Amino acid sequence: MAPETQPSGWLISVDDHVLEPPHVWTDRLAAKDRQDGPRMVDGPDGEAWVYEGRVVPTNGLSATVGRRREDFSPEPLSYREMRPGCYDPIARVEDMDRAGILASVCFPSFPRFCGQIFWEASDRRLALLCVRAYNDWMLDEWCAAAPGRYIPLIILPLWDPAEAAREIERCAARGARAVAFSEDPSPLGLPSIHDPSRYWDPVFAAAERTDIAVAIHVGSSSTTPAVAEGAPFLANLAFGASRTAATMLSWLFSGNFQRFPKLRIVLSEGEIGWIPYFLERAEQVLDKQRFWASRGVGFSGGLEVGRAGEAPAAVDFMDLDVRRDYLDHIYGCFIDDVHGLGNLAMIGEDNVMIETDYPHSDTTWPDSYAVAAARVAHLAPEVQCKILRGNAERVFRFTPTEPTT
């Protein structure tokens, strides 16, 4: 398909969210597992998910569309109080049409951004069935309800990389275009992407082999960056992009792009204005420090550990080119980032995609296209097209279906 050169009145949002309807697991698990799988219950404190003894209500900030910002609150919200587009794929498409959203990547809610709740489960047999059930629902029901309007994103059994690789293969063959991964697996109790045993290699190899994008949502480490002890949560929320910056640097210095040269990493809901500084700083650090680091000398806590002549570093710092690896492998995503768009020459017009964050409290809905068009108006028409939809079509290998009316 030839690239668009003029804005079409539509955008593709690479970060939205779905509030899973109550039947996702009860419809797909075998009868013997339904009582133990995730299910929705009405209790004395209202409506909530129940799974392995945990009671998980819906955070009100996850379903703010159609509500006044004066009424926003993290207090629990029932499905009866939500706009139907939060959980119904047909109603969602109607809301997308209203806002100029042509296609959407939808991250999970109850499982959390990369399926952490199933990693935390004690019954791994059932947890694996729940992961597969979620993915089947995403492919067969949510995305299939409106072909060409949803870009299928799946979750993984994080506790078993070989099984996770098989799940990528299974779902990619059925049309999946993205797989959710953690911004930092370490706080979850999992090996990091720097693990010397290369714990995650089966996952990265499967993503590369199937040409599927790895989507990393801010908050998928189940941690919130803190500016200071006791600081208001709003200060920490404003600091959230620091976690995404850390994720980008972690990947750039991991050596994974050298071993998986076709891997694509999407930094979801992390904004983009910070990218020029951290890329520049990474290049400065590499230029000055690559020689001793390449000799296997370690440095930690202000004290030198290890000596030259020991085992070489796991990363070939002499060959590492962070700017090249960024441009070839990493894609920044933003909701409303004027500063980032003003520095696009340093960020890269091919490395930026837009989001609407429906139905969360940061969403630009129902004015998504109007807001986006105003933000990119200073750019050349062909660059506007890349940011609004073209880059997403390329990165996710997705051809959207435009409404006929």
Side-chain angles (χ1 to χ4, degrees), residues 4-219:
E4 298 286 342
T5 59
Q6 295 292 329
S8 62
W10 294 100
L11 63 83
I12 293 179
S13 173
V14 299
D15 168 49
D16 294 315
H17 301 266
V18 57
L19 281 296
E20 296 81 15
H23 68 267
V24 170
W25 290 277
T26 55
D27 279 4
R28 286 168 178 77
L29 292 176
K32 65 183 180 68
D33 291 320
R34 288 173 195 158
Q35 187 62 26
D36 296 323
R39 64 193 191 282
M40 184 71 69
V41 301
D42 279 313
D45 298 321
E47 190 178 75
W49 287 99
V50 173
Y51 177 52
E52 285 205 338
R54 299 172 65 173
V55 178
V56 184
T58 297
N59 185 316
L61 294 180
S62 296
T64 63
V65 289
R67 304 169 71 86
R68 301 183 313 153
R69 65 185 62 186
E70 291 86 353
D71 297 327
F72 289 3
S73 170
E75 296 170 304
L77 189 70
S78 73
Y79 279 55
R80 293 181 293 272
E81 300 172 281
M82 295 177 195
R83 189 175 181 87
C86 294
Y87 54 84
D88 181 277
I90 300 302
R92 171 70 67 91
V93 167
E94 293 173 358
D95 282 351
M96 290 163 62
D97 289 348
R98 175 179 173 181
I101 303 167
L102 179 60
S104 170
V105 175
C106 296
F107 281 85
S109 293
F110 167 73
R112 308 214 296 277
F113 295 140
C114 67
Q116 299 102 297
I117 200 160
F118 298 123
W119 150 247
E120 296 164 354
S122 58
D123 185 342
R124 292 288 166 78
R125 180 197 66 85
L126 179 57
L128 176 59
L129 294 175
C130 288
V131 167
R132 290 174 178 166
Y134 175 88
N135 292 339
D136 287 342
W137 169 79
M138 173 57 62
L139 293 163
D140 297 338
E141 187 170 332
W142 184 263
C143 295
R149 302 300 300 275
Y150 296 115
I151 302 174
L153 175 141
I154 63 167
I155 59 175
L156 299 176
L158 299 169
W159 59 93
D160 188 336
E163 190 62 56
R166 285 190 285 271
E167 186 65 4
I168 290 174
E169 298 273 6
R170 183 182 78 90
C171 294
R174 301 180 58 219
R177 291 291 184 267
V179 56
F181 190 70
S182 177
E183 62 189 356
D184 181 3
S186 300
L188 303 178
L190 287 159
S192 81
I193 64 170
H194 307 277
D195 178 53
S197 72
R198 297 181 176 173
Y199 176 90
W200 295 108
D201 273 17
V203 172
F204 303 153
E208 182 180 56
R209 186 166 54 250
T210 58
D211 202 14
I212 199 170
V214 178
I216 299 176
H217 197 286
V218 66

